[in-house]
Amino acid sequence: MPDNGRLITLEGIDGAGKSLQTRLLAENLRDLGHLVVTTFEPGGGQQGGLLRDLLTGDAASHWSPATEALLFTAARRHHLDGLVLPAIAEGKIVICDRFADSTRVYQGFDSETARHRVDQLHTLMIGTDPDLTFIIDIPVKLALERVARRSGGDARLDTFGSRLEDLRQGFLQLQQSFPHRCRVVNGDRESSEIASDLLAMSLEVIS
């Protein structure tokens, strides 16, 4: 089934279930005959692992907020050029676990100046917005429980500490900033129920 290329992104705090829902949405769309590519940030695409190591490895704690924003933007540009835009040009549906909205929330968290810097970088260097963004929302307590069950946990999540609720609210506020493409989805449900909702809303955009 030929498609006009689309970019669908999934956002939310760690533990929200983005990776699982990315996989389920891809499977459901493929079952309907759509051509689908799944990817993630940071680090998607060829050689993306090198940039991911800079952003999530031992060196990550040494970057200033401005440097971190620049690195995320560089990784995203590489990801776009090498994977996302070519797939869209081929008429494929690209489903990405995190995209620019995560940078807006995490790297633009501390001040209006930081958020303005992130938005400027996006405009200048990325210039591509998703056709549809799912913000999977769950309570912080549940997110922490899920992350704790992962093998080895997630040290980066721990660094946000009490700010995690503020980050959650930052994702929710994206729906107000970009109401044409952002859909808030209750992530505190059975995964099959969430997947059904994501498929229905995706088909509205793809059709």
Side-chain angles (χ1 to χ4, degrees):
M1 176 186 296
D3 290 302
N4 293 321
R6 296 285 189 274
L7 174 59
I8 297 173
T9 58
L10 285 82
E11 299 283 3
I13 59 175
D14 290 276
K18 298 178 301 301
S19 298
L20 172 61
Q21 291 303 325
T22 295
R23 177 174 61 80
L24 293 176
L25 179 57
E27 291 174 355
N28 289 334
L29 287 171
R30 288 181 183 127
D31 287 344
L32 295 175
H34 295 280
L35 301 175
V36 181
V37 173
T38 61
T39 188
F40 60 92
E41 289 198 355
Q46 292 186 348
Q47 305 301 320
L50 297 174
L51 289 165
R52 183 178 179 85
D53 288 344
L54 286 174
L55 288 161
T56 62
D58 293 338
S61 61
H62 300 296
W63 306 128
S64 69
T67 300
E68 194 171 60
L70 286 166
L71 287 169
F72 270 103
T73 302
R76 183 162 301 118
R77 186 69 248 180
H78 175 79
H79 189 206
L80 276 175
D81 291 340
L83 190 153
V84 176
L85 294 180
I88 291 174
E90 293 171 357
K92 296 175 182 177
I93 299 167
V94 179
I95 305 174
C96 189
D97 179 352
R98 294 202 181 282
F99 193 65
D101 290 321
S102 281
T103 306
R104 287 187 173 103
V105 172
Y106 285 95
Q107 280 66 54
F109 175 84
D110 289 323
S111 66
E112 289 186 11
T113 298
R115 172 60 186 271
H116 181 63
R117 178 172 57 221
V118 168
D119 285 337
Q120 281 187 311
L121 283 170
H122 179 78
T123 299
L124 289 170
M125 300 305 303
I126 306 302
T128 296
D129 290 310
D131 298 286
L132 178 62
T133 297
F134 294 117
I135 301 165
I136 303 180
D137 179 53
I138 63 171
V140 166
K141 183 175 183 293
L142 177 58
L144 291 171
E145 290 172 355
R146 288 181 177 179
V147 171
R149 290 196 294 267
R150 295 175 183 169
S151 177
D154 189 332
R156 182 175 171 80
L157 184 62
D158 293 338
T159 65
F160 291 111
S162 61
R163 299 197 309 172
L164 197 55
E165 179 60 37
D166 292 329
L167 293 168
R168 178 194 175 203
Q169 294 303 318
F171 278 110
L172 292 175
Q173 289 168 13
L174 291 170
Q175 200 278 332
Q176 300 174 26
S177 299
F178 307 100
H180 60 290
R181 65 172 174 84
C182 289
R183 305 288 183 271
V184 175
V185 178
N186 177 12
D188 189 8
R189 297 178 291 158
E190 292 293 328
S191 59
S192 59
E193 294 180 20
I194 301 168
S196 179
D197 286 350
L198 267 57
L199 177 62
M201 287 184 277
S202 295
L203 292 174
E204 290 177 1
V205 171
I206 295 166
S207 301

